[in-house]
Amino acid sequence: MTLQECYQALGGDYDEVLHRLMMPKLVDKFLGKFPGDGSYAELCAAMEAGQRADAFRAAHTLKGVCQNLSLGNLLQAVAPLTELLRPETDTIPAEAQAMLSDVRQRYDATIRTIASYQQSKA
């Protein structure tokens, strides 16, 4: 799998991320670091604990990483969740759990695709 094929599978825009990072080597490097980013785990933990502010912060961070790396499929799920969690309330809206389920599925697919790409390089 090429880096471009990986981005196609991720629903991303390879040209956009290449323009942002300027070199395929940097795109490859930062894409490889994505699975180690802790914002997804923080989001899940905060949602489970009912901590809206922490969940918002983690979702916002994950959204930013997805935007910077042009991870389109995951971004499409995490962006609306971020906005749902944005209002400063004491509770997490009920519909956030269903949205988190979509984020989970897309996150897992993103990680699998990146791993497949990494294995194909080896």
Side-chain angles (χ1 to χ4, degrees):
M1 173 186 300
T2 67
L3 187 54
Q4 292 89 342
E5 290 169 337
C6 179
Y7 264 86
Q8 186 174 21
L10 294 169
D13 186 332
Y14 177 74
D15 292 333
E16 177 184 300
V17 74
L18 183 59
H19 178 74
R20 184 175 297 112
L21 297 178
M22 313 243 282
M23 296 186 323
K25 182 178 179 179
L26 288 177
V27 175
D28 180 78
K29 175 183 175 180
F30 287 106
L31 184 65
K33 290 180 178 268
F34 178 76
D37 177 77
S39 56
Y40 170 75
E42 292 169 14
L43 170 61
C44 293
M47 289 283 291
E48 189 173 309
Q51 299 170 331
R52 191 224 39 93
D54 291 341
F56 168 73
R57 197 169 11 267
H60 192 270
T61 300
L62 182 58
K63 176 183 151 188
V65 171
C66 289
Q67 285 175 322
N68 286 332
L69 289 176
S70 188
L71 302 177
N73 290 340
L74 182 53
L75 178 61
Q76 289 175 1
V78 77
L81 177 59
T82 302
E83 294 312 311
L84 183 65
L85 295 170
R86 185 179 296 276
E88 294 188 19
T89 63
D90 292 335
T91 60
I92 294 176
E95 59 268 30
Q97 291 301 330
M99 293 173 89
L100 180 62
S101 177
D102 188 28
V103 170
R104 279 191 170 118
Q105 290 173 351
R106 292 177 189 229
Y107 179 85
D108 290 344
T110 298
I111 296 301
R112 283 192 307 272
T113 301
I114 293 170
S116 178
Y117 165 68
Q118 296 290 335
Q119 289 173 349
S120 73
K121 292 188 329 177

